Amino acid sequence: MPSSKDAIVANLINSFETSQRHETPYPHWFLDECLPQDTVDDITALPFPAPALGGLSGKREVHNATRKYFDAENMAAFPVCKTFNEALQDKRVTTAIERTFNTKLNGTYLRVEFAQDTDGFWLEPHTDLGVKSFTFLLYLSKDPAHAALGTDIYDAEKRHVGASPFKSNGALIFVPSTNTYHGFEPRRIEGVRKSLIVNYVTSEWRAREQLAYPNTPIA
């Protein structure tokens, strides 16, 4: 039986409370065991094709037409999308996020993207500052060849200073600010690098169809 919302909530809160905080070059956290294992397996197995890059990369926006979200359509089609969103919308989780990571989510909206990156993918350094109030990058794929495919971290001058560990059910969290530069340096990707990009975004987010609950902000 798939894990319940309450089981996902419990895992998430424990991963927040046991996360490792790093101060340089900006506050960020590494997490382990974010979700129950069956939830990781169910999400990883979602039957979405990995989008073709067509030689274009650098920004996810260049492939907007093929991006996948835990939106209303996919929540209706796949129970794991619905249960995951319910957990991230739960007051226990949002309160734990605010307490642990010193941010405010009141009035924001949950947005969850299922990312599948293939060879040729890269991302230029960017901060997420603007309409994103919280960034939670949750890694899924289990391929040992993906161990060096963590998110790259840069200082305020966009100089590369390191990368997050990439391990299934691990994560990187930060609160977007003027210096939270991160990206993905070009390197070989064997197979498909799978992850969830979890954000809470402000009411100014225009693509409402991407949101889990476009009419229900975090209260």
Side-chain angles (χ1 to χ4, degrees):
M1 175 180 290
S3 290
S4 66
K5 180 188 79 169
D6 285 344
I8 297 174
V9 166
N11 262 76
L12 285 168
I13 292 174
N14 183 68
S15 73
F16 298 158
E17 292 176 345
T18 58
S19 61
Q20 304 169 32
R21 176 171 174 144
H22 300 267
E23 299 296 337
T24 304
Y26 50 81
H28 61 280
W29 291 259
F30 297 149
L31 290 75
D32 293 309
E33 304 300 327
C34 298
L35 304 174
Q37 189 57 54
D38 62 337
T39 303
V40 176
D41 294 341
D42 288 347
I43 294 173
T44 306
L46 285 167
F48 302 139
L53 294 176
L56 297 174
S57 199
K59 296 182 179 181
R60 291 197 182 276
E61 296 91 299
V62 300
H63 297 288
N64 275 349
T66 56
R67 297 168 78 179
K68 294 294 183 181
Y69 302 93
F70 285 12
D71 53 17
E73 178 182 357
N74 286 323
M75 281 196 289
F78 304 106
V80 70
C81 298
K82 182 175 185 289
T83 307
F84 181 85
N85 283 352
E86 288 174 345
L88 269 293
Q89 188 81 0
D90 190 282
K91 182 69 172 178
R92 291 169 292 177
V93 169
T94 57
T95 297
I97 288 172
E98 291 183 325
R99 180 180 64 247
T100 307
F101 306 108
N102 192 29
T103 189
K104 299 295 183 185
L105 300 182
N106 188 54
T108 63
Y109 296 81
L110 176 64
R111 175 180 178 270
V112 180
E113 179 175 359
F114 182 61
Q116 299 188 96
D117 304 319
T118 55
D119 198 42
F121 167 80
W122 64 279
L123 284 178
E124 65 184 24
H126 59 290
T127 65
D128 278 7
L129 184 63
V131 292
K132 294 179 180 178
S133 297
F134 182 74
T135 297
F136 176 15
L137 305 177
L138 203 169
Y139 308 121
L140 298 170
S141 47
K142 300 178 181 179
D143 191 331
H146 292 184
L149 299 183
T151 304
D152 289 297
I153 296 170
Y154 305 84
D155 66 15
E157 284 71 47
K158 301 183 184 179
R159 293 176 299 205
H160 187 265
V161 298
S164 65
F166 188 102
K167 50 187 172 182
S168 184
N169 211 13
L172 166 67
I173 280 177
F174 61 88
V175 177
S177 68
T178 57
N179 68 333
T180 51
Y181 285 102
H182 61 289
F184 189 81
E185 293 283 308
R187 53 199 186 270
R188 176 71 179 168
I189 298 175
E190 300 285 349
V192 183
R193 176 186 184 263
K194 297 186 179 186
S195 64
L196 291 182
I197 304 170
V198 180
N199 296 111
Y200 293 91
V201 301
T202 71
S203 59
E204 296 174 0
W205 192 266
R206 294 180 180 179
R208 309 297 293 178
E209 71 280 359
Q210 298 174 0
L211 303 179
Y213 307 102
N215 299 313
T216 309
I218 301 299

